[in-house]
Amino acid sequence: MIDFMEAKMKAEVTNMLGGTTEMTALTEDSLSVNMNEHLRVDVRLAMRDSLVIEVMKTYIIS
């Protein structure tokens, strides 16, 4: 999906469960992926005393 984002294409793939997964944002230190219509995962690198990887899961209730 990173290659798709860098090529300015829609970064969408069919996941192993037959649903759609899409990377919606990519920066030098973060990314955001809609795993499906109910879950988004955000990952961010943070420098404090050492390198920290933060992962936030957002559940979407509709």
Side-chain angles (χ1 to χ4, degrees), residues 7-9 14 16 21 24-26 31 34-36 38-39 46-47 50 52-54 60:
K8 308 292 188 223
M9 299 170 60
T14 301
M16 292 177 67
T21 298
T24 57
L26 176 65
L31 61 84
N34 290 335
M35 301 301 285
N36 57 40
H38 300 290
L39 174 64
M47 291 300 293
S50 61
V52 176
I53 299 173
E54 299 172 345
I60 304 161

Side-chain angles (χ1 to χ4, degrees), residues 1 4-5 7 10-11 14 16 19 23-24 31-33 35 38-39 41-45 47 49 53-55 58:
M1 290 191 295
F4 291 151
M5 289 290 288
K10 188 171 185 173
T14 301
M16 292 177 67
M23 182 181 291
T24 57
L31 61 84
S32 182
V33 177
M35 301 301 285
H38 300 290
L39 174 64
V41 176
D42 298 301
V43 179
R44 185 171 72 104
L45 296 176
M47 291 300 293
D49 294 333
I53 299 173
E54 299 172 345
V55 178
T58 304

